[in-house]
Amino acid sequence: MKLAQKLVIGYFRAQLNLTSVISPTWAAKKAFRLFTSPRKRTRYALPDIFKKATPLQFKHNGHWIKGFRWNEGAGKRLMILHGYESSCRKFDHHIARSIHLGYEVLAFDAPAHGDSEGYSVNATQYADMIREAVVQFGAVDTFICHSFGGIALSLFLEKYPHTEDTRVVFIAPATETTTAINSFFTLLELHPRIRKALDNHIFHLSGHYPEHYSIRRALQHIRARILWIHDEEDQVTPVRDVLPIQEKGFPNIEFLITKGLGHNRIYRDNEVKRKIFTFISG
């Protein structure tokens, strides 16, 4: 970890822990804001495939969501959903291959990511963005999602009408929100009293505790055929969260567990990409 990162973490650790002595609730609100605010945006030059796209935008929660469409009018539609602090522009190879397979492709930057507006986003807001995109641009047959995009998609799909013909590719999805929160608290070394207040704050905002925001829970309402790809050495969305799902033996889920690809290399791996496109074209 770089010195600047250590200094920033130290600053927030001291600020939040000190605030919690006076008001755990206030500290929890500040912690939640920090947890849901990306620290960086992916905004490098667009890959060449994006020069062939039609730019799209729509308003969501008062902010402009920016995206792209390729191959408009094709008989089937696919949506790309990126992860935290990422962008749809990182999936140019997936987009090109999907077009080749005859899909109309939609890809958007999530709120507070890439070229989309906003300063913070949680899984429910990302799921709502997916819903609005479907309303604006049409029903989607196939989804390819990575990391944070996975939990958002699961929250969307459990309430959105779909069939067994819908296809979903989960690539290293953020399976349990509680795991992400635990990692956040460990990194900042925050006092346990803030965690209890944070759980209550999330319940106050949404009517649910963090345990609700779980792919494992949402799966009971999802009928789609799923290809779930995860790496044994993923340090961001650990494979241990996936094992209970494997053990349940969902008949609509096929698992591919890799080794040595981690959290971000996995979606760029050629063998993984071949598996993805065999699945969605089968």
Side-chain angles (χ1 to χ4, degrees):
M1 186 182 298
K2 296 180 180 179
L3 177 60
Q5 292 174 309
K6 290 181 179 179
L7 291 173
V8 170
I9 289 172
Y11 167 77
F12 284 115
R13 177 189 301 126
Q15 183 189 60
L16 292 171
N17 283 330
L18 180 60
T19 301
S20 73
V21 175
I22 303 168
S23 173
T25 299
W26 182 241
K29 290 179 180 179
K30 296 178 74 171
F32 182 73
R33 182 70 175 181
L34 181 62
F35 177 67
T36 58
S37 298
R39 296 177 298 279
K40 61 181 181 180
R41 285 179 182 256
T42 299
R43 277 179 168 166
Y44 56 78
L46 289 170
D48 287 344
I49 191 70
F50 285 80
K51 298 175 184 177
K52 302 175 182 179
T54 301
L56 302 176
Q57 64 178 5
F58 62 93
K59 270 287 182 72
H60 174 68
N61 290 340
H63 296 294
W64 285 107
I65 301 300
K66 303 296 182 70
F68 301 87
R69 175 166 53 199
W70 294 260
N71 207 20
E72 183 179 0
K76 49 190 178 179
R77 187 175 291 118
L78 179 148
M79 184 179 289
I80 301 285
L81 299 166
H82 65 77
Y84 196 70
E85 295 184 341
S86 185
S87 165
C88 65
R89 68 193 68 198
K90 288 191 173 184
F91 290 82
D92 53 317
H93 293 292
H94 299 76
I95 292 165
R97 182 59 177 161
S98 298
I99 294 169
H100 179 74
L101 290 175
Y103 282 95
E104 175 181 326
V105 180
L106 299 173
F108 298 92
D109 285 336
H113 287 75
D115 292 326
S116 291
E117 295 180 346
Y119 301 98
S120 65
V121 63
N122 57 51
T124 299
Q125 291 167 338
Y126 197 170
D128 289 343
M129 185 218 82
I130 299 170
R131 182 177 296 106
E132 183 60 28
V134 168
V135 169
Q136 294 267 353
F137 305 107
V140 175
D141 310 287
T142 301
F143 298 87
I144 298 176
C145 55
H146 177 241
S147 193
F148 186 40
I151 181 67
L153 178 62
S154 72
L155 297 177
F156 164 74
L157 279 179
E158 71 169 333
K159 296 180 180 179
Y160 180 75
H162 65 282
T163 71
E164 294 86 350
D165 293 328
T166 303
R167 301 207 176 194
V168 170
V169 180
F170 282 139
I171 310 172
T175 311
E176 303 290 347
T177 297
T178 52
T179 297
I181 295 174
N182 289 342
S183 297
F184 173 75
F185 269 67
T186 298
L187 177 65
L188 266 66
E189 299 177 11
L190 299 181
H191 196 280
R193 62 176 163 258
I194 303 177
R195 177 55 190 274
K196 182 178 180 180
L198 178 67
D199 288 354
N200 290 333
H201 178 59
I202 291 173
F203 181 83
H204 176 75
L205 289 174
S206 67
H208 299 287
Y209 287 106
E211 292 81 2
H212 175 82
Y213 302 100
S214 156
I215 295 181
R216 179 172 56 172
R217 182 204 58 75
L219 280 173
Q220 61 188 313
H221 306 294
I222 296 175
R223 302 167 64 191
R225 284 187 57 192
I226 297 170
L227 173 62
W228 189 310
I229 306 169
H230 226 107
D231 193 79
E232 291 181 2
E233 299 175 7
D234 193 321
Q235 300 298 309
V236 178
T237 60
V239 74
R240 66 175 180 272
D241 286 347
V242 183
L243 300 181
I245 298 172
Q246 277 189 296
E247 291 169 1
K248 287 198 172 196
F250 286 94
N252 59 323
I253 305 179
E254 175 185 350
F255 289 95
L256 172 62
I257 305 300
T258 62
K259 185 174 178 63
L261 295 176
H263 187 68
N264 290 312
R265 285 176 54 207
I266 190 167
Y267 68 85
R268 302 187 185 102
D269 180 77
N270 287 331
E271 288 299 323
V272 167
K273 285 188 283 190
R274 273 192 282 271
K275 180 68 174 178
I276 290 171
F277 291 108
T278 297
F279 172 76
I280 69 172
S281 62

